[in-house]
Amino acid sequence: MARPVRQGSGRARWRAALPHRAAPASAERLKERSEEESMCDHQTSPQTTTVSKVLCGLNVEIFTYPSGEVLLRTVDAYPVNRNDWHGPYADAAQAEADFVDRHALPVLTPEDVRRRRLNGTLSKTREYGEMILAFHRWTGATCLTPFIVRPEARA
């Protein structure tokens, strides 16, 4: 597969040209096509929908295909890969549940806390107290994350 031609010096423009970034453009094309179909026959043509809402303090878009499959992404979040489309999900409720689950604070047992202190993945910060180094479950990036300690927790 040929690599896209780089236009300008911005890495974001170059990455946007990659095939895996095509979901938003495809979604818009599907929406335009379905709007054209709906003008012809309101009874038989399926509709695509895009819903914006706030989940876990972040603006998200939920896009529904005519087949019922759903994609979800954050809007204007940093880092940029946080804005990638995730899915497909069976329905919007499943997409929202997955998003909320991936943004929940990790739950650790006292034994996990002790182990993380020994191996250096738990440390104390000036502003936020103790935090762990973990993979972000939405972006896959490593980040410092606050956590919850529960004796009965299954991490």
Side-chain angles (χ1 to χ4, degrees):
M1 181 173 125
R3 296 190 100 160
V5 177
R6 235 180 131 161
Q7 298 174 358
S9 62
R11 183 174 181 213
R13 274 189 242 135
W14 180 76
R15 289 192 62 182
L18 293 173
H20 72 278
R21 297 276 183 171
S26 305
E28 290 176 20
R29 281 196 300 270
L30 277 172
K31 189 172 184 177
E32 290 171 9
R33 187 173 58 201
S34 72
E35 287 173 359
E36 291 170 6
E37 290 172 356
S38 68
M39 291 178 197
C40 300
D41 184 10
H42 293 285
Q43 301 299 321
T44 59
S45 68
Q47 295 292 315
T48 60
T49 59
T50 303
V51 178
S52 296
K53 52 172 58 176
V54 177
L55 295 175
C56 301
L58 296 168
N59 294 325
V60 298
E61 285 183 349
I62 301 171
F63 177 81
T64 306
Y65 284 106
S67 65
E69 289 183 329
V70 174
L71 298 176
L72 186 138
R73 74 171 182 161
T74 57
V75 182
D76 300 327
Y78 181 82
V80 177
N81 68 336
R82 193 177 217 179
N83 298 327
D84 289 346
W85 290 97
H86 288 253
Y89 299 99
D91 60 5
Q94 183 183 13
E96 290 178 26
D98 181 53
F99 183 83
V100 170
D101 179 55
R102 288 174 184 247
H103 284 80
L105 292 177
V107 178
L108 303 177
T109 64
E111 178 61 24
D112 292 332
V113 171
R114 186 191 65 74
R115 229 178 306 125
R116 285 181 178 266
R117 279 191 183 120
L118 290 174
N119 70 17
T121 58
L122 184 145
S123 64
K124 189 172 279 195
T125 63
R126 287 184 188 168
E127 294 89 16
Y128 304 108
E130 285 190 323
M131 299 181 88
I132 61 171
L133 181 67
F135 287 107
H136 192 280
R137 294 181 55 205
W138 188 254
T139 64
T142 54
C143 59
L144 287 173
T145 307
F147 59 93
I148 300 170
V149 179
R150 288 199 187 123
E152 72 279 354
R154 302 281 186 250

